[in-house]
Amino acid sequence: MVTTQPAPWRRLVVLVALMLAAFTFNTAENLPVGLLELMSESLRVSVSAVGLLVTCYGVTVAVGSLPLAHVMRAVPRRHALTGLLTALVVSSLVAALVPSYWLLLVARLLTALAQALFWAVMGPVAVGLFAPAVRGRVVGALSVAGSLALVLGVPAGTWLGQQSGWPVPVALVAALGLVSLVTIAVLLPTSRPEEEPAAYGTSPDVRRFGTVLAAGILSATGAFAGYTYIVKFLGDVSGFPPRAVSALFVAFGVACLVGVSITGALLDRFPQAALTAAIATQAVGMLGLYAAGTHPMAAVVFLVLMGGALGPVFMTTQNAMLHCAPGRTDIALAANSGAYNAGIAAGAALGGLVLPLADVRGAFLAGGLLTVGACAVLLGGRLLSRGPLHAPAASSRLTARVDETDLTSHSQSHSSDLGK
């Protein structure tokens, strides 16, 4: 069976639907952050218990990404996406309607399992709709949509929850998911996963894959060792009042969105440099906050630098996986997403361990040094790739293996068709 590309207008509409789905999933994940007090009072549980709705969500994504990608690797992408969006819609409706904290937690975990696989499936589908020369811009568009959840989705959901009760924005998440679900179900063609245009990496490389994965998890751990406690830092170290901290959060989100937008525009031309620049900028931002965060103006500058790098780091690692994946890109993307979410959890835990030993500035120092380590991993990987021991034959063998798999699948398909 040969995969036929849909008409240009259908490709564009499907991309917009995938962007909306990315926005919706990220909003669903982080919405309780803005509704902590409301949910705590309504459900009659502690604020920390509501906070677990976010923590458990992230851990579920980290643990579930790779196993789910393996289990669902043979399911046509259209069917997989419609199933995942159906899970998002149903779980969000249940979360909005149930009065029980425990049922809400179960519904959140179902959403998290859907999101764990969504990021692995969505990337190859989206970039496969377009020519290889513009795939970086497609990744950028999806990342902009995801970043908008923090800049627009969560603040809007918080305001709506304050006006109408927290179940209303949760139900709105279900409505947005339904729009994406219907659009993808109607317009995305059905094809076998291995026949998707972006099913395999363009330049398979096991060494590059390991380098990017290691750099990504180090940078995520570093970033969230500090970011998890940014409110305490801005108040205790920089001396900002609570209202100013809220405004700085908005500035951080806007910087993240701008960073993703700029990086996405350059990703096709400078894929490796974009990844290195994003991680290096994060390191400068975190170490700058450690060194000069006691000065309010300097704190703002380095906070914006950190925000401008946070989104691009994940985006550039995802883009790298589409190139260097040693096998199927959905498996590589699932590994990257799982590793990044594991880094988030590890970073929060590391910051918590550092706080009583070296105060909140120490958390940013530890995070900045880990991010420097990520830069060193990238530099080391690049030097090794240029050395005499770097064997292109390894990539050639991987490519040959991929080609052999393609030939085998096509041969089996052809034989099946003849048998009919």
Side-chain angles (χ1 to χ4, degrees):
M1 181 175 66
V2 179
T3 303
T4 57
Q5 285 284 59
W9 70 268
R10 292 181 66 176
R11 280 182 271 167
L12 184 59
V13 173
V14 169
L15 176 60
V16 172
L18 290 171
M19 291 171 64
L20 177 61
F23 170 83
T24 305
F25 267 116
N26 275 9
T27 300
E29 178 178 7
N30 295 286
L31 196 54
V33 172
L35 301 172
L36 284 176
E37 296 288 345
L38 291 173
M39 297 179 81
S40 173
E41 293 175 6
S42 173
L43 297 169
R44 297 179 182 177
V45 296
S46 66
V47 170
S48 59
V50 179
L52 280 176
L53 296 176
V54 178
T55 304
C56 292
Y57 193 109
V59 171
T60 301
V61 173
V63 173
S65 295
L66 197 54
L68 283 173
H70 273 289
V71 170
M72 301 291 286
R73 61 182 294 142
V75 178
R77 305 293 85 173
R78 174 173 168 269
H79 297 163
L81 284 170
T82 53
L84 296 173
L85 288 166
T86 298
L88 170 65
V89 171
V90 172
S91 60
S92 297
L93 283 176
V94 170
L97 295 174
V98 297
S100 164
Y101 170 81
W102 295 108
L103 286 176
L104 175 60
L105 178 60
V106 170
R108 290 274 302 171
L109 294 182
L110 176 58
T111 307
L113 286 172
Q115 181 165 335
L117 185 58
F118 173 77
W119 292 113
V121 173
M122 176 264 291
V125 169
V127 301
L129 293 170
F130 299 89
V134 298
R135 286 179 177 176
R137 273 174 276 178
V138 175
V139 173
L142 294 169
S143 298
V144 167
S147 299
L148 276 173
L150 298 178
V151 180
L152 177 63
V154 174
T158 302
W159 178 84
L160 187 59
Q162 291 169 346
Q163 305 303 312
S164 309
W166 67 264
V168 175
V170 176
L172 185 58
V173 165
L176 294 175
L178 184 60
V179 174
S180 295
L181 166 61
V182 172
T183 304
I184 291 170
V186 171
L187 296 180
L188 185 66
T190 302
S191 59
R192 285 193 286 254
E194 66 274 11
E195 294 175 338
E196 294 285 344
Y200 297 98
T202 56
S203 304
D205 189 329
V206 172
R207 180 176 290 171
R208 175 69 178 162
F209 171 78
T211 298
V212 172
L213 203 63
I217 194 169
L218 279 172
S219 63
T221 304
F224 284 86
Y227 176 69
T228 306
Y229 306 97
I230 190 64
V231 171
K232 183 175 178 60
F233 183 95
L234 293 173
D236 294 356
V237 178
S238 303
F240 288 106
R243 286 187 180 181
V245 170
S246 299
L248 288 172
F249 257 119
V250 175
F252 185 94
V254 171
C256 180
L257 181 61
V258 171
V260 165
S261 302
I262 293 173
T263 306
L266 301 173
L267 203 50
D268 289 309
R269 295 177 60 191
F270 311 105
Q272 293 195 33
L275 173 56
T276 305
I279 293 180
T281 302
Q282 178 181 301
V284 171
M286 297 196 73
L287 293 176
L289 283 168
Y290 164 74
T294 53
H295 304 285
M297 288 304 298
V300 172
V301 171
F302 289 116
L303 181 71
V304 168
L305 279 177
M306 182 183 171
L310 192 61
V313 168
F314 181 67
M315 178 181 71
T316 50
T317 58
Q318 289 287 86
N319 184 66
M321 291 298 164
L322 292 169
H323 292 284
C324 70
R328 286 265 295 271
T329 51
D330 55 352
I331 303 299
L333 289 169
N336 189 56
S337 178
Y340 192 85
N341 279 277
I344 291 174
L350 174 63
L353 291 174
V354 171
L355 280 179
L357 301 175
D359 71 42
V360 70
R361 288 181 68 214
F364 277 81
L365 175 61
L369 292 176
L370 280 172
T371 310
V372 170
C375 291
V377 167
L378 288 177
L379 179 60
R382 187 169 296 185
L383 291 175
L384 284 173
S385 70
R386 293 173 180 173
L389 296 179
H390 180 70
S395 292
S396 299
R397 285 194 300 271
L398 285 164
T399 305
R401 197 176 306 159
V402 168
D403 291 340
E404 182 182 347
T405 303
D406 281 343
L407 288 171
T408 302
S409 65
H410 282 298
S411 174
Q412 290 172 347
S413 175
H414 184 60
S415 299
S416 175
D417 290 339
L418 287 176
K420 295 178 182 178

